[in-house]
Amino acid sequence: MALSRRFSGIGSSVFERLVMAVQLSIGARVRKSPFFQSSCKAGLAAASVYNHMYMPTSYGDPAAEYDRLINGVAMWDVAVERQVALKGPDALALARLLTPRNLDGLVIGQGKYVPICNHSGAIINDPVLLQVAEDEIWLSIADSDIQLWASAVAGTLKLDVDVYEPDVSPLAIQGPKAVDVVSDLFGEWVRELKYFGFRVTELDGIPLVVARSGWSKQGGYELYLRDFSRGDDLWARVAEAGKPYDIGPGTPNYIERIESGLISYGADTDSRTNPFELGMDKFIALDQPHDFIGKEALIAMKKAGISRRFMGFIIDGPALVTTNEDRLLISFDGENAGYVSACVYSPRVGENIGVGMVSTTPIDKGQSVTIHMADGLRSARIVPLPFL
Ligand code: THG
């Protein structure tokens, strides 16, 4: 494998072992993306389940997929990022209730990262919000049932708003050359979009939204397809336009997201994780005049301070050759001090790196912790995120 030689110090085995080896049963209960057939033809090798839908996680060549994201351009089927539409006169009123973020000054065409908390102040999702029309807001959600949550709130309060899942499925184009592919497809205007900025448009009659966003720090766009039946057409069109830039398939990337410190709801969080522990303070507007779910609890939490925090880890020992299948226990001074949710050898950092939730005691003391790996104990230094 020529590509893996670029990453000095490690062999291709590191990447090969990143692929899980279990078969998924394909049936009617778990939903398929509109890009599913195209993904399979492109060599889909592994999938997980997210928002009741198959989520591609590997095309069988992790070294090539990482390299494309860092140095080229990759296309990802991220239709699992389902939209929850809030449509009607009370759309904004409902959105305000759902998130602690201050939504003043929301404009059509600009997205926002909007954590959602429950009444106890625990985080239950971290969507991107898009105001697509005067009376229509989409929440582009992570893996939890926000449609049920939002419709229960709207129904209980008798708000004048419909809450439903529209026919919308994002296809991400990520990497330093994504901007070239997307401007070849849509025009030079895409270069002027701000981060999370978007425009409603079409491509050869395929209705979609073009947004500057995506779950990586390598830059890129997301095409929100608005007609399920055109999934294979859109996939083919992007693959064609990407040819001069050597585009290839990929997925939300395990290594890059750790390097970039991006939060994976459900992997990094548990049922009690609060936004302050995740370092989301700037998104939690406790002093706004509007009420929102979790306000009282969050005010109390802010006052009490946090006892654990989402941090990075540099882990001693030889290069990790497997990814963790479960959270790894962290201990400090012989006591439980949290968990590492994901760790890997990073070719760019040149170290084993991880992310996880750790007690503030070792952070404040600037001391190392012990990580309980499947094959034994390793020492780790706690460092701020992101790594790069
Ligand atoms: N794209 C779309 N929807 C999504 C995701 C996505 N929904 C679920 C999940 N991903 C949402 N989670 C995130 C988490 C982080 C970011 C985007 C989506 C992100 N954060 C930047 C950061 O951390 O630096 C910027 C946040 C900010 O400052 O506003 O990009 O990927 N459609």
Side-chain angles (χ1 to χ4, degrees):
M1 255 214 290
L3 275 167
S4 57
R5 255 183 264 125
R6 243 187 246 190
F7 309 128
S8 57
I10 51 165
S12 58
S13 65
V14 172
F15 292 103
E16 277 156 15
R17 294 291 290 279
L18 291 173
V19 182
M20 271 292 298
V22 72
Q23 291 201 323
L24 274 171
S25 300
I26 305 294
R29 190 181 57 79
V30 177
R31 304 177 293 174
K32 287 167 209 73
S33 145
F35 314 114
F36 189 73
Q37 288 301 334
S38 295
S39 287
C40 289
K41 282 188 195 145
L44 182 62
S48 180
V49 173
Y50 186 109
N51 281 328
H52 313 282
M53 189 177 254
Y54 299 107
M55 175 178 74
T57 54
S58 171
Y59 287 84
D61 191 349
E65 290 165 43
Y66 178 80
D67 183 62
R68 251 176 231 139
L69 173 60
I70 305 301
N71 300 309
V73 55
M75 54 196 289
W76 304 351
D77 169 2
V78 286
V80 296
E81 289 157 3
R82 302 314 293 165
Q83 309 305 299
V84 176
L86 319 178
K87 190 164 165 55
D90 286 337
L92 180 60
L94 177 57
R96 285 197 191 277
L97 279 171
L98 293 175
T99 179
R101 185 134 191 212
N102 190 333
L103 298 184
D104 288 353
L106 211 56
V107 291
I108 295 173
Q110 183 57 41
K112 245 180 186 201
Y113 188 45
V114 293
I116 296 182
C117 293
N118 66 15
H119 297 83
S120 311
I123 187 153
I124 58 168
N125 206 293
D126 67 334
V128 177
L129 179 154
L130 297 85
Q131 177 146 30
V132 291
E134 202 57 58
D135 65 343
E136 184 173 352
I137 285 170
W138 294 352
L139 298 173
S140 181
I141 61 171
D143 185 22
S144 73
D145 294 309
I146 293 304
Q147 189 203 329
L148 298 179
W149 177 258
S151 59
V153 172
T156 302
L157 297 176
K158 299 193 170 22
L159 297 180
D160 189 0
V161 59
D162 277 339
V163 179
Y164 60 97
E165 185 186 274
D167 176 2
V168 176
S169 304
L171 177 67
I173 305 174
Q174 300 286 297
K177 295 179 184 166
V179 61
D180 297 319
V181 176
V182 177
S183 64
D184 285 358
L185 280 166
F186 293 94
E188 293 299 308
W189 61 268
V190 303
R191 295 179 189 272
E192 311 307 321
L193 282 176
K194 282 191 271 177
Y195 194 67
F196 284 145
F198 65 90
R199 190 190 280 191
V200 178
T201 179
E202 58 162 48
L203 182 68
D204 304 341
I206 306 172
L208 45 76
V209 168
V210 178
R212 191 158 207 163
S213 54
W215 202 60
S216 87
K217 290 274 182 79
Q218 306 314 308
Y221 293 80
E222 292 179 307
L223 311 183
Y224 290 65
L225 170 67
R226 301 182 79 177
D227 178 353
F228 192 101
S229 73
R230 307 296 305 274
D232 296 323
D233 296 341
L234 180 60
W235 180 282
R237 197 71 179 70
V238 172
E240 183 63 34
K243 256 189 197 146
Y245 307 97
D246 262 335
I247 201 169
T251 71
N253 192 276
Y254 191 91
I255 306 172
E256 196 273 347
R257 87 95 175 173
I258 300 174
E259 293 169 339
S260 298
L262 290 171
I263 292 161
S264 175
Y265 171 79
D268 302 330
T269 60
D270 60 29
S271 61
R272 288 163 175 246
T273 302
N274 76 49
F276 305 117
E277 294 170 336
L278 292 169
M280 290 179 169
D281 303 55
K282 66 178 170 180
F283 302 129
I284 309 299
L286 298 176
D287 50 4
Q288 63 177 314
H290 306 284
D291 198 15
F292 58 83
I293 294 171
K295 195 172 191 176
E296 271 177 55
L298 288 164
I299 288 170
M301 282 171 176
K302 179 89 183 174
K303 216 169 150 193
I306 54 172
S307 60
R308 57 179 191 166
R309 194 177 172 90
F310 186 63
M311 297 293 290
F313 302 89
I314 293 184
I315 305 166
D316 281 358
L320 296 173
V321 294
T322 58
T323 58
N324 53 300
E325 294 178 15
D326 294 292
R327 291 186 178 137
L328 304 173
L329 180 82
I330 299 173
S331 62
F332 178 69
D333 260 354
E335 302 211 9
N336 182 344
Y339 57 81
V340 168
S341 34
C343 56
V344 73
Y345 177 82
S346 161
R348 289 190 296 160
V349 178
E351 307 253 22
N352 295 318
I353 62 172
V355 292
M357 198 61 86
V358 64
S359 159
T360 48
T361 312
I363 303 176
D364 294 344
K365 293 185 173 172
Q367 291 181 355
S368 290
V369 291
T370 301
I371 301 181
H372 298 239
M373 316 280 299
D375 60 356
L377 305 181
R378 292 197 191 198
S379 177
R381 260 186 312 125
I382 306 172
V383 295
L385 290 169
F387 288 93
L388 293 170

